[in-house]
Structures are given as structure tokens and as C-alpha cells.
Short mmCIF file of all heavy atoms in Angstrom, two decimals:
data_model
loop_
_atom_site.label_atom_id
_atom_site.label_comp_id
_atom_site.label_asym_id
_atom_site.label_seq_id
_atom_site.Cartn_x
_atom_site.Cartn_y
_atom_site.Cartn_z
N SER A 24 8.13 -8.89 7.04
CA SER A 24 9.12 -8.15 6.27
C SER A 24 8.50 -7.56 5.00
O SER A 24 8.75 -6.40 4.66
CB SER A 24 10.29 -9.08 5.92
OG SER A 24 11.16 -8.45 5.03
N GLN A 25 7.72 -8.35 4.28
CA GLN A 25 7.06 -7.86 3.06
C GLN A 25 6.12 -6.71 3.37
O GLN A 25 6.08 -5.71 2.66
CB GLN A 25 6.28 -8.99 2.38
CG GLN A 25 7.13 -10.03 1.70
CD GLN A 25 6.30 -11.22 1.24
OE1 GLN A 25 5.38 -11.67 1.93
NE2 GLN A 25 6.63 -11.72 0.06
N LEU A 26 5.35 -6.86 4.45
CA LEU A 26 4.40 -5.81 4.82
C LEU A 26 5.16 -4.54 5.21
O LEU A 26 4.80 -3.45 4.77
CB LEU A 26 3.50 -6.28 5.97
CG LEU A 26 2.45 -5.27 6.42
CD1 LEU A 26 1.51 -4.90 5.28
CD2 LEU A 26 1.66 -5.83 7.59
N SER A 27 6.21 -4.68 5.99
CA SER A 27 6.99 -3.53 6.42
C SER A 27 7.60 -2.80 5.22
O SER A 27 7.52 -1.57 5.11
CB SER A 27 8.09 -3.98 7.37
OG SER A 27 8.90 -2.89 7.73
N ARG A 28 8.20 -3.54 4.29
CA ARG A 28 8.78 -2.93 3.09
C ARG A 28 7.70 -2.24 2.24
O ARG A 28 7.92 -1.15 1.73
CB ARG A 28 9.52 -3.98 2.25
CG ARG A 28 10.84 -4.43 2.86
CD ARG A 28 11.70 -5.24 1.87
NE ARG A 28 11.00 -6.22 1.09
CZ ARG A 28 10.88 -7.51 1.40
NH1 ARG A 28 11.39 -7.97 2.51
NH2 ARG A 28 10.23 -8.33 0.58
N SER A 29 6.54 -2.88 2.14
CA SER A 29 5.45 -2.31 1.33
C SER A 29 4.94 -1.02 1.95
O SER A 29 4.73 -0.02 1.25
CB SER A 29 4.30 -3.31 1.21
OG SER A 29 4.73 -4.49 0.57
N LEU A 30 4.73 -1.02 3.25
CA LEU A 30 4.22 0.19 3.93
C LEU A 30 5.26 1.30 3.89
O LEU A 30 4.91 2.48 3.71
CB LEU A 30 3.81 -0.14 5.36
CG LEU A 30 2.66 -1.13 5.50
CD1 LEU A 30 2.34 -1.36 6.98
CD2 LEU A 30 1.42 -0.67 4.74
N ASP A 31 6.53 0.95 4.03
CA ASP A 31 7.60 1.96 3.92
C ASP A 31 7.63 2.56 2.52
O ASP A 31 7.79 3.77 2.36
CB ASP A 31 8.97 1.34 4.25
CG ASP A 31 9.15 1.03 5.72
OD1 ASP A 31 8.34 1.50 6.55
OD2 ASP A 31 10.10 0.28 6.05
N TYR A 32 7.46 1.71 1.51
CA TYR A 32 7.44 2.19 0.13
C TYR A 32 6.26 3.14 -0.09
O TYR A 32 6.41 4.20 -0.70
CB TYR A 32 7.36 1.02 -0.85
CG TYR A 32 7.35 1.46 -2.30
CD1 TYR A 32 8.53 1.67 -2.98
CD2 TYR A 32 6.14 1.68 -2.96
CE1 TYR A 32 8.52 2.11 -4.31
CE2 TYR A 32 6.12 2.11 -4.27
CZ TYR A 32 7.31 2.32 -4.94
OH TYR A 32 7.29 2.77 -6.25
N ILE A 33 5.10 2.76 0.41
CA ILE A 33 3.92 3.63 0.26
C ILE A 33 4.17 4.97 0.93
O ILE A 33 3.92 6.02 0.35
CB ILE A 33 2.66 2.95 0.84
CG1 ILE A 33 2.23 1.78 -0.05
CG2 ILE A 33 1.52 3.96 0.99
CD1 ILE A 33 1.15 0.90 0.55
N GLU A 34 4.67 4.95 2.16
CA GLU A 34 4.92 6.20 2.88
C GLU A 34 5.93 7.08 2.15
O GLU A 34 5.74 8.29 2.02
CB GLU A 34 5.43 5.89 4.30
CG GLU A 34 5.61 7.11 5.16
CD GLU A 34 4.34 7.91 5.42
OE1 GLU A 34 3.23 7.32 5.46
OE2 GLU A 34 4.44 9.14 5.55
N ALA A 35 6.98 6.48 1.62
CA ALA A 35 8.02 7.24 0.91
C ALA A 35 7.52 7.80 -0.42
O ALA A 35 8.05 8.79 -0.92
CB ALA A 35 9.24 6.36 0.68
N ASN A 36 6.51 7.17 -1.00
CA ASN A 36 6.01 7.56 -2.32
C ASN A 36 4.58 8.06 -2.29
O ASN A 36 3.92 8.09 -3.33
CB ASN A 36 6.13 6.37 -3.28
CG ASN A 36 7.58 6.04 -3.56
OD1 ASN A 36 8.24 6.73 -4.32
ND2 ASN A 36 8.08 5.01 -2.90
N LEU A 37 4.11 8.47 -1.14
CA LEU A 37 2.71 8.85 -0.99
C LEU A 37 2.31 10.00 -1.91
O LEU A 37 1.17 10.07 -2.36
CB LEU A 37 2.42 9.22 0.47
CG LEU A 37 0.99 9.19 0.93
CD1 LEU A 37 0.35 7.82 0.68
CD2 LEU A 37 0.88 9.55 2.39
N LEU A 38 3.23 10.89 -2.21
CA LEU A 38 2.91 12.03 -3.08
C LEU A 38 3.00 11.68 -4.55
O LEU A 38 2.60 12.47 -5.40
CB LEU A 38 3.85 13.20 -2.77
CG LEU A 38 3.78 13.73 -1.34
CD1 LEU A 38 4.73 14.90 -1.17
CD2 LEU A 38 2.37 14.12 -0.97
N ASN A 39 3.52 10.52 -4.86
CA ASN A 39 3.66 10.07 -6.25
C ASN A 39 2.54 9.10 -6.59
O ASN A 39 1.75 8.71 -5.74
CB ASN A 39 5.01 9.36 -6.44
CG ASN A 39 6.17 10.25 -6.04
OD1 ASN A 39 6.16 11.44 -6.33
ND2 ASN A 39 7.14 9.67 -5.36
N ASN A 40 2.51 8.69 -7.85
CA ASN A 40 1.58 7.66 -8.26
C ASN A 40 2.13 6.30 -7.85
O ASN A 40 3.05 5.78 -8.46
CB ASN A 40 1.36 7.68 -9.78
CG ASN A 40 0.46 8.80 -10.20
OD1 ASN A 40 -0.37 9.26 -9.43
ND2 ASN A 40 0.62 9.27 -11.42
N VAL A 41 1.60 5.74 -6.77
CA VAL A 41 2.01 4.42 -6.32
C VAL A 41 1.39 3.42 -7.28
O VAL A 41 0.19 3.44 -7.52
CB VAL A 41 1.54 4.17 -4.87
CG1 VAL A 41 1.89 2.78 -4.42
CG2 VAL A 41 2.14 5.22 -3.94
N ARG A 42 2.22 2.53 -7.84
CA ARG A 42 1.76 1.56 -8.82
C ARG A 42 1.72 0.18 -8.19
O ARG A 42 2.59 -0.19 -7.39
CB ARG A 42 2.68 1.53 -10.03
CG ARG A 42 2.98 2.89 -10.69
CD ARG A 42 1.77 3.56 -11.28
NE ARG A 42 1.17 2.80 -12.34
CZ ARG A 42 1.00 3.23 -13.57
NH1 ARG A 42 1.38 4.43 -13.91
NH2 ARG A 42 0.41 2.46 -14.46
N LEU A 43 0.73 -0.60 -8.55
CA LEU A 43 0.58 -1.96 -8.02
C LEU A 43 1.80 -2.81 -8.37
O LEU A 43 2.30 -3.55 -7.52
CB LEU A 43 -0.70 -2.60 -8.57
CG LEU A 43 -1.04 -3.98 -8.02
CD1 LEU A 43 -1.22 -3.95 -6.51
CD2 LEU A 43 -2.30 -4.52 -8.69
N HIS A 44 2.29 -2.69 -9.59
CA HIS A 44 3.46 -3.47 -10.01
C HIS A 44 4.68 -3.14 -9.14
O HIS A 44 5.43 -4.03 -8.75
CB HIS A 44 3.75 -3.20 -11.49
CG HIS A 44 4.98 -3.87 -12.00
ND1 HIS A 44 5.28 -5.18 -11.73
CD2 HIS A 44 6.02 -3.40 -12.74
CE1 HIS A 44 6.44 -5.50 -12.29
NE2 HIS A 44 6.90 -4.43 -12.90
N ASP A 45 4.86 -1.86 -8.81
CA ASP A 45 6.00 -1.46 -7.98
C ASP A 45 5.85 -2.01 -6.56
O ASP A 45 6.82 -2.48 -5.97
CB ASP A 45 6.13 0.06 -7.95
CG ASP A 45 6.45 0.63 -9.32
OD1 ASP A 45 7.03 -0.09 -10.16
OD2 ASP A 45 6.12 1.81 -9.55
N LEU A 46 4.66 -1.95 -6.01
CA LEU A 46 4.42 -2.50 -4.67
C LEU A 46 4.69 -4.00 -4.66
O LEU A 46 5.31 -4.52 -3.73
CB LEU A 46 2.98 -2.23 -4.23
CG LEU A 46 2.70 -0.85 -3.67
CD1 LEU A 46 1.19 -0.65 -3.50
CD2 LEU A 46 3.41 -0.65 -2.35
N ALA A 47 4.21 -4.69 -5.68
CA ALA A 47 4.41 -6.13 -5.77
C ALA A 47 5.90 -6.45 -5.87
O ALA A 47 6.37 -7.41 -5.24
CB ALA A 47 3.65 -6.70 -6.97
N SER A 48 6.64 -5.66 -6.62
CA SER A 48 8.08 -5.87 -6.74
C SER A 48 8.79 -5.69 -5.41
O SER A 48 9.70 -6.46 -5.07
CB SER A 48 8.68 -4.90 -7.76
OG SER A 48 8.23 -5.20 -9.04
N VAL A 49 8.37 -4.72 -4.64
CA VAL A 49 8.96 -4.48 -3.32
C VAL A 49 8.78 -5.72 -2.43
O VAL A 49 9.66 -6.10 -1.68
CB VAL A 49 8.33 -3.23 -2.66
CG1 VAL A 49 8.65 -3.15 -1.19
CG2 VAL A 49 8.78 -1.97 -3.38
N ALA A 50 7.62 -6.36 -2.56
CA ALA A 50 7.32 -7.56 -1.76
C ALA A 50 7.83 -8.84 -2.42
O ALA A 50 7.80 -9.90 -1.80
CB ALA A 50 5.82 -7.66 -1.52
N GLY A 51 8.24 -8.76 -3.68
CA GLY A 51 8.72 -9.95 -4.39
C GLY A 51 7.60 -10.90 -4.79
O GLY A 51 7.78 -12.11 -4.81
N LEU A 52 6.43 -10.33 -5.13
CA LEU A 52 5.27 -11.14 -5.52
C LEU A 52 4.71 -10.65 -6.84
O LEU A 52 5.02 -9.55 -7.29
CB LEU A 52 4.18 -11.03 -4.44
CG LEU A 52 4.52 -11.50 -3.03
CD1 LEU A 52 3.41 -11.12 -2.06
CD2 LEU A 52 4.76 -13.00 -3.01
#
């Protein structure tokens, strides 16, 4: 579930500056 949410977030934000903090928040880590 964490991986799926993270990859979905990356795909949805690929044109933006993807931030490590935001990715970690999506996964709850």
C-alpha cells in the first residue's frame, strides 16, 4: 500500500518538484 501510494504520488507530480518530505508523508514514514 505504501509503495502504491508513493508511486501514484510520483506519477501525479512528475512535472513538479517531488519532495522527499512529501513522499515520506504519503507513506506515513
